Amino acid sequence: ADSTALAAFSSPKLGALGRIEEGRLRLDRTVVRAPAIPTEHLDARVPILPAPLGEDGLLVDCALEAGVHGIVAVALGAGHLPPPFLDALRRADRRVPVVATVRPKRGAILRGTYAFAGSERDLREGRIIAAGGLSSAAARMKLMACLGAGYDRAQIAERFVLDDH
């Protein structure tokens, strides 16, 4: 959260796991841990592509032409993408795994609150992997680890299930 402060780290999505009270650890929640990913290398090319309003998908097409191994898309709000950008992601998903996160520090990719073109409903109706519980940087590292382990698309999607909340 801050590169130079004593309190450099934060947990913006979930808050603290616990705290120290009178010299004792008090845990308020536990973390469900997924099995480790047996990664052999972390050299996959995985760009993080933001989807601001008006984005036409050109960045997605350029990334594919450059030979990326996967894509992390950063959606607006609760999983909203400009329709041309979403179309480009769907085309990309035929060739490489595509993981979607959200831009806000807190939140998730909703499932059916909105119904406009490019809403979370449209994002979820395809094969794009929803990981709204992760930052774009964390989703990128996880996708790189999955690719470095040789996982196929189904195995990659399974590894992100816990991150879709």
Side-chain angles (χ1 to χ4, degrees):
D2 190 317
S3 63
T4 60
L6 283 177
F9 300 99
S10 71
S11 180
K13 296 248 182 201
L14 298 174
L17 294 174
R19 60 180 169 231
I20 304 292
E21 291 178 347
E22 296 179 327
R24 293 187 171 173
L25 175 63
R26 179 183 134 196
L27 290 176
D28 296 325
R29 74 172 59 93
T30 58
V31 176
V32 176
R33 295 206 181 268
I37 299 170
T39 303
E40 295 184 21
H41 52 83
L42 287 172
D43 57 357
R45 295 175 72 192
V46 178
I48 297 171
L49 303 180
L53 290 176
E55 178 57 47
D56 62 4
L58 179 63
L59 288 176
V60 176
D61 295 334
C62 290
L64 286 174
E65 286 181 30
V68 299
H69 302 108
I71 293 173
V72 172
V74 184
L76 299 168
H80 309 142
L81 299 164
F85 187 84
L86 178 58
D87 291 341
L89 289 177
R90 287 179 175 154
R91 288 192 305 273
D93 192 53
R94 294 183 207 135
R95 296 173 48 189
V96 299
V98 175
V99 175
T101 64
V102 294
R103 184 174 67 178
K105 289 183 180 181
R106 291 186 177 92
I109 296 174
L110 296 178
R111 297 182 184 281
T113 300
Y114 299 96
F116 56 82
S119 72
E120 73 278 0
R121 289 181 190 198
D122 290 343
L123 186 153
R124 287 186 175 278
E125 75 180 15
R127 296 175 0 129
I128 295 171
I129 300 165
L134 293 179
S135 68
S136 57
R140 178 179 182 267
M141 288 305 302
K142 189 167 191 173
L143 181 53
M144 289 175 65
C146 288
L147 292 167
Y151 288 176
D152 63 23
R153 194 207 170 280
Q155 291 170 307
I156 292 169
E158 181 62 31
R159 286 304 185 135
F160 281 92
V161 166
L162 291 176
D163 305 309
D164 182 19
H165 44 75

